[in-house]
Amino acid sequence: MKHQTLDQLHAVAKIESSAAYSAMTRNQRIERWAELLEQHPERCVAAFTGTEYLHMEERASLRGDGSAIAVAFDDPVLRASGLKDDTYGEARRFFKLSDWQLHEIVCDCHVGATMKAHWAAKRVRATVEGNGFLAWLRQRIMF
């Protein structure tokens, strides 16, 4: 491996700082996730089975290839912003979601084993927009 100074690297490559990404707000991260899902609206993304019935530890480590969370993790911008892996627990932490909010996005009880990416994007956006009094009440009662 050849060590080079930053000036030498600038001469041969375009270098972008990830500092701009780390300053994304919660809403910007969630909006980016929705946009990623909308890039291929008809793609089927995997849903998780019965997230509400799993123990906290099981739920936190839950992951699945081709899930909506995996779509987010595939994005270099979200990874540069701090998304560490494609688990349920990490998505909950990174996007600052309650269990109920993330359940609404990724659980199979709403759609079956798979869902269209555009549907998942709508659910992701609903976490930012809120769903009024009933969503607030459900969040207080359920989790």
Side-chain angles (χ1 to χ4, degrees), residues 50-61:
T51 61
E52 69 272 33
Y53 301 114
L54 299 173
H55 287 66
M56 286 171 110
E57 299 80 26
E58 289 178 289
R59 191 170 40 232
S61 64

Side-chain angles (χ1 to χ4, degrees), residues 51-52 59 88 92 97-107 109-110 123 127 131 134-143:
T51 61
E52 69 272 33
R59 191 170 40 232
Y88 182 101
R92 186 173 182 268
L97 299 171
S98 68
D99 275 320
W100 188 256
Q101 288 172 316
L102 194 50
H103 164 85
E104 288 287 315
I105 296 168
V106 301
C107 192
C109 67
H110 305 290
R123 298 306 310 152
T127 65
N131 295 320
L134 291 177
W136 174 85
L137 183 60
R138 180 177 8 175
Q139 186 175 2
R140 298 303 182 273
I141 293 171
M142 298 302 285
F143 294 98

Side-chain angles (χ1 to χ4, degrees), residues 14-127:
K14 180 180 177 187
I15 301 173
E16 295 182 19
S17 171
S18 64
Y21 300 134
S22 63
M24 292 175 80
T25 66
R26 173 188 183 260
N27 287 358
Q28 288 170 329
R29 292 190 302 254
I30 290 173
E31 180 59 29
R32 176 136 183 114
W33 187 14
E35 290 169 357
L36 292 167
L37 289 162
E38 288 173 335
Q39 287 177 357
H40 303 283
E42 295 302 310
R43 169 177 46 186
C44 288
V45 293
F48 296 128
T49 301
T51 61
E52 69 272 33
Y53 301 114
L54 299 173
H55 287 66
M56 286 171 110
E57 299 80 26
E58 289 178 289
R59 191 170 40 232
S61 64
L62 189 63
R63 64 162 304 280
D65 293 334
S67 71
I69 297 170
V71 170
F73 185 64
D74 285 343
D75 181 51
V77 172
L78 292 179
R79 284 197 315 271
S81 296
L83 184 60
K84 296 174 185 168
D85 60 40
D86 63 351
T87 61
Y88 182 101
E90 177 58 12
R92 186 173 182 268
R93 180 203 66 81
F94 179 74
F95 293 109
K96 297 180 181 175
L97 299 171
S98 68
D99 275 320
W100 188 256
Q101 288 172 316
L102 194 50
H103 164 85
E104 288 287 315
I105 296 168
V106 301
C107 192
D108 70 344
C109 67
H110 305 290
V111 292
T114 63
M115 66 187 100
K116 298 285 186 175
H118 70 86
W119 189 91
K122 287 180 184 179
R123 298 306 310 152
V124 167
R125 278 210 176 86
T127 65

